[in-house]
Amino acid sequence: MCGIVGYIGKNNATNILIEGLKALEYRGYDSSGIAYNLNNEIKIIKSEGKVSNLEKKLEENIPSHIGIGHTRWATHGAPNEVNAHPHRLGITTLVHNGIIENYVELKKELEKEYHFNSETDTEVAAGLIDYLYHQEKDKLKALKKAMEIIKGSYALAIMFDDELDTIYAIRKDSPLILATKNNEQFLASDIAAILKYTNHYYLLEQGEIAKIDKNAITFYNNDLNIITKKEYVYEGTQTDIMKDGYDHFMLKEIHDEISVYQNIIKSYVPNLNIHELEEKFPNFTKYDEITIIGCGSAYHAGMAAKSLFEEYANIPVNVEMASEYRYKKIFPNPKELVILISQSGETADTLEALRKAKNSHMDTLGIINVLSSSIARESDNVIYCLAGCEIAVATTKAYLAQVLILNLITILISYQKKIITEEKANEYLSDLKKLINQTKDILNKEKDYEKIALSIYKQREMFFIGRNIDYALCMEASLKMKEISYIHSEAYPAGELKHGTISLIEDNTIVIGIVTKDDIASKTISNLKETKARGSKIILVTTDKLFKEYINDKFYEEAIIINEINPLLNSLVTMTPLQLLSYYVALHRGESIDKPRNLAKSVTVE
Ligand code: F6R
């Protein structure tokens, strides 16, 4: 999510802006930039990737005392330097959080006056405000008019060349706060950016305008009359802010899943049309084999994709743990694509696996969350997961972002190989709306999963069983359970159970059965009943459709029933309740959920 910071005062503005942007990094972003006044001239510096890249571009001790800064999370236009903020048109420079919905119409009009360089909606806002200022000859009137014209959400911090000692701010539906301390004025999209300096702040309300100069912040209401504002005090810490009111990052990140899906859609298939994917994703037509490599949950995302790629895109897939791939004999095939999956993009084994594949002259594609990370930089191609910053060690939203990207690739290959028609591909894509609604429903039912967690949290062991893609989901659900609750948990292919593992089933052993695939549902259900006959307690995870079709007797203790979307997207909605189940089991056991013992978020050693 984008972030804004602004500063006016006696200290070095660029240092304070960089510090503020770093404090906003937790929101997730792909590029950053600042604009500052240097000797009565606006300087703009931008950079792709981390704020530290931007920092490297700045000279030390720049004698500037006023500026605005931004971290951008791409919505309109690719995450590159041109699209990064600040944007400048005419004499107007600004940074923007939010989405301007009518930017296409506005741009058409403004193109008569301005030449646009970026693909962003933000540059249109700069053009509009500049245009209105030239018409009105008054900044407050121009900003008031801009608020009447712009549709959508925005928080804007604006500088004008003819008044370079002042910052103006307006907002609608995107937050913006202002603060003043020891003759220094601050502006930010969230208190994290300025908490180092002050915890007292003012909230800019919709329709209001703030004018900030070195002496004071002046607030105007919609009639352009000066108003007095109430001051708020923030009592929490930086970590509290980052948790957004949730008790743990893991819970917050599970709730972020909706915005992650929305962001993926907005960035790759805004009109839910297969041609958008053709344009934005690499061409897969030349490959006749795919190898997917990852570690832990990323490997599990690959396992889920294997089932989908093979069944719906008719392409053979090998899935390899990166730590094994590194040291095994490989048989490079010039028509093989090697896909590396990694949230951090820094996992040592995955990075070495990538280098091995490249040394063997195979094409490589990274599916990566962290922008400009090593694997993203070294892969021939990269598709970003756009899941934002993930802080809990146990991955949730980034895993699901990986699975969604792999789903989209499945649809694309299937379409490119003419297995499905354009109409069918678009039908799958339009189901993405259902994915968002179903995930919302699941999150609303969060307390139901807590109730199930309360019935199992004292257990010492658990088994997750399923077949085909359901087995891949079992692997991920079981990892989530064991890594944060420390309950010994195993995932097993349901049919393999009776070749040994079933001897571990005794009275009250918890068996969680995932049944989302029609053609094998009855088989897994029989396997679940076999464990029931040996005393297990069963938690059934299935779709409403399969439940109606296959469940005639109550052989289970608890059931998690998700609404069927389609065979591709079912894999995503099945996982969210299981992540919540693990979370609540660990919560009631009193474990350290966000930082489980012995684990690290990014495993950069072998
Ligand atoms: C489990 C988990 C890990 C990571 C694995 C790979 O919840 O987070 O299993 O999936 O360490 O990490 P990345 O994706 O950063 O390569």
Side-chain angles (χ1 to χ4, degrees):
M1 295 293 170
C2 304
I4 290 178
V5 60
Y7 173 79
I8 306 180
K10 54 190 178 301
N11 288 309
N12 179 310
T14 53
N15 290 351
I16 291 172
L17 295 177
I18 293 290
E19 262 175 21
L21 294 180
K22 283 188 176 168
L24 293 174
E25 282 186 309
Y26 76 94
R27 295 163 67 99
Y29 67 104
D30 47 61
S31 54
S32 62
I34 58 172
Y36 54 93
N37 168 6
L38 187 65
N39 305 325
N40 271 327
E41 217 181 285
I42 277 277
K43 290 267 172 229
I44 296 179
I45 314 277
K46 307 189 206 184
S47 182
E48 231 181 277
K50 298 202 169 121
V51 174
S52 54
N53 297 347
L54 176 70
E55 194 176 13
K56 279 184 210 137
K57 287 186 166 181
L58 292 169
E59 284 163 27
E60 276 181 29
N61 300 323
I62 298 171
S64 172
H65 300 283
I66 171 166
I68 50 180
H70 191 262
T71 47
R72 174 174 187 255
W73 194 28
T75 55
H76 295 82
N80 58 31
E81 206 172 302
V82 176
N83 289 330
H85 306 197
H87 285 282
R88 174 178 170 79
L89 275 184
I91 63 160
T92 306
T93 302
L94 56 75
V95 292
H96 164 223
N97 280 6
I99 292 174
I100 295 172
E101 285 162 10
N102 54 340
Y103 83 104
V104 176
E105 299 96 281
L106 292 174
K107 192 169 182 174
K108 256 190 214 140
E109 279 302 305
L110 291 162
E111 264 165 348
K112 295 173 194 154
E113 307 284 333
Y114 299 96
H115 171 71
F116 290 91
N117 295 306
S118 76
E119 302 158 81
T120 64
D121 49 343
T122 302
E123 198 182 11
V124 176
L128 177 71
I129 291 172
D130 192 77
Y131 177 79
L132 293 172
Y133 176 41
H134 280 95
Q135 297 254 303
E136 300 285 334
K137 315 268 183 271
D138 178 292
K139 292 180 187 111
L140 295 176
K141 282 188 189 157
L143 292 175
K144 178 177 154 82
K145 199 138 203 193
M147 286 194 274
E148 288 160 13
I149 295 173
I150 298 175
K151 293 204 175 79
S153 62
Y154 53 84
L156 292 166
I158 311 144
M159 294 177 76
F160 295 94
D161 284 5
D162 61 354
E163 197 182 359
L164 275 178
D165 54 356
T166 304
I167 300 172
Y168 287 83
I170 53 174
R171 77 162 195 103
K172 180 176 165 266
D173 295 340
S174 278
L176 205 57
I177 60 164
L178 298 111
T180 179
K181 178 90 189 280
N182 301 335
N183 289 328
E184 290 177 289
Q185 331 295 350
F186 302 88
L187 164 152
S189 50
D190 97 47
I191 185 90
I194 58 172
L195 201 56
K196 183 171 170 197
Y197 303 96
T198 180
N199 62 345
H200 291 244
Y201 64 96
Y202 301 100
L203 268 176
L204 188 68
E205 298 293 348
Q206 326 254 76
E208 293 175 352
I209 301 175
K211 177 179 177 188
I212 310 132
D213 61 31
K214 67 177 191 314
N215 301 315
I217 304 170
T218 313
F219 291 97
Y220 299 86
N221 65 13
N222 202 240
D223 297 323
L224 305 184
N225 295 321
I226 293 180
I227 49 170
T228 316
K229 299 277 294 179
K230 175 177 162 201
E231 196 180 57
Y232 293 86
V233 182
Y234 179 75
E235 300 288 2
T237 61
Q238 175 97 10
T239 310
D240 295 333
I241 302 164
M242 291 158 69
K243 282 189 193 151
D244 216 3
Y246 292 97
D247 289 340
H248 296 94
F249 283 114
M250 181 175 175
L251 189 59
K252 173 194 174 284
E253 286 158 7
I254 294 172
H255 279 261
D256 283 348
E257 284 165 8
I258 293 168
S259 60
V260 172
Y261 296 153
Q262 286 168 332
N263 204 41
I264 290 176
I265 296 169
K266 229 182 297 159
S267 304
Y268 297 125
V269 274
N271 300 305
L272 305 174
N273 188 303
I274 190 68
H275 298 303
E276 296 170 314
L277 270 190
E278 276 190 301
E279 220 177 83
K280 291 185 178 145
F281 279 12
N283 188 330
F284 293 93
T285 46
K286 69 184 236 208
Y287 305 113
D288 63 14
E289 184 183 354
I290 292 179
T291 295
I292 304 180
I293 302 174
C295 299
S297 297
Y299 169 78
H300 298 157
M303 287 295 290
K306 174 180 167 71
S307 304
L308 300 177
F309 281 179
E310 290 182 343
E311 186 161 348
Y312 295 94
N314 204 23
I315 188 160
V317 177
N318 323 299
V319 189
E320 304 276 0
M321 287 173 190
S323 53
E324 291 293 314
Y325 185 84
R326 279 180 76 167
Y327 299 109
K328 67 175 274 196
K329 182 172 166 63
I330 59 170
F331 300 89
N333 160 7
K335 288 188 165 181
E336 176 182 348
L337 172 67
V338 178
I339 299 181
L340 296 302
I341 307 179
S342 175
Q343 185 286 130
S344 62
E346 299 296 347
T347 302
D349 284 325
T350 315
L351 181 58
E352 285 309 321
L354 162 68
R355 289 175 179 159
K356 178 167 177 165
K358 285 187 80 171
N359 286 339
S360 309
H361 309 290
M362 283 183 284
D363 285 0
T364 56
L365 166 69
I367 297 182
I368 309 293
N369 193 37
V370 176
L371 278 283
S372 308
S373 52
S374 303
I375 301 174
R377 279 185 278 113
E378 291 189 30
S379 300
D380 298 318
N381 258 311
V382 59
I383 299 176
Y384 283 114
C385 293
L386 311 176
C389 184
E390 193 177 64
I391 292 172
V393 165
T395 181
T396 50
K397 62 174 179 174
Y399 161 82
L400 282 174
Q402 291 161 356
V403 177
L404 181 53
I405 298 289
L406 291 159
N407 258 281
L408 295 178
I409 296 176
T410 309
I411 298 168
L412 180 60
I413 301 180
S414 184
Y415 169 69
Q416 284 175 335
K417 290 176 101 182
K418 300 195 168 45
I419 298 166
I420 54 171
T421 59
E422 179 175 346
E423 199 186 6
K424 183 70 192 166
N426 289 342
E427 192 184 309
Y428 276 135
L429 294 177
S430 60
D431 279 345
L432 290 168
K433 286 189 256 166
K434 291 191 199 154
L435 171 67
I436 289 171
N437 290 333
Q438 308 283 11
T439 307
K440 281 184 189 159
D441 283 352
I442 289 164
L443 293 171
N444 285 337
K445 286 198 286 193
E446 192 177 329
K447 291 294 154 193
D448 295 356
Y449 309 123
E450 179 168 16
K451 242 167 77 194
I452 300 177
L454 277 167
S455 71
I456 60 172
Y457 78 100
K458 289 188 179 151
Q459 296 288 333
R460 290 182 50 232
E461 63 177 352
M462 268 176 215
F463 292 88
F464 286 76
I465 65 168
R467 288 167 183 252
N468 198 283
I469 189 161
D470 291 337
Y471 170 53
L473 302 180
C474 282
M475 288 197 280
E476 175 55 13
S478 171
L479 174 62
K480 218 83 306 171
M481 183 63 78
K482 71 183 122 196
E483 71 179 320
I484 61 168
S485 72
Y486 312 146
I487 293 174
H488 174 229
S489 167
E490 279 194 52
Y492 244 78
E496 185 65 11
L497 207 64
K498 47 173 127 22
H499 299 285
T501 310
I502 202 162
S503 66
L504 295 172
I505 306 291
E506 50 187 23
D507 270 353
N508 296 328
T509 305
I510 298 293
V511 176
I512 301 182
I514 303 185
V515 184
T516 69
K517 200 168 176 316
D518 204 344
D519 56 343
I520 36 137
S522 61
K523 307 281 173 200
T524 308
I525 291 166
S526 315
N527 298 135
L528 281 169
K529 289 184 178 172
E530 286 159 11
T531 71
K532 181 79 189 170
R534 285 149 184 91
S536 75
K537 283 190 169 167
I538 293 175
I539 298 175
L540 175 67
V541 183
T542 189
T543 67
D544 51 350
K545 181 169 165 273
L546 297 184
F547 187 84
K548 264 192 225 131
E549 210 166 313
Y550 293 99
I551 311 296
N552 317 312
D553 53 337
K554 193 171 178 299
F555 63 89
Y556 53 89
E557 269 61 36
E558 303 282 354
I560 294 176
I561 299 174
I562 52 150
N563 294 331
E564 171 102 20
I565 304 181
N566 67 41
L568 296 160
L569 296 177
N570 288 347
S571 55
L572 292 121
V573 276
T574 306
M575 192 50 66
T576 303
L578 293 167
Q579 293 171 342
L580 288 166
L581 187 69
S582 302
Y583 171 80
Y584 280 111
V585 166
L587 182 77
H588 289 288
R589 287 171 75 93
E591 304 301 356
S592 158
I593 293 180
D594 286 334
K595 286 197 177 130
R597 67 186 177 212
N598 308 338
L599 291 174
K601 184 66 185 161
S602 177
V603 185
T604 51
V605 290
E606 202 176 331

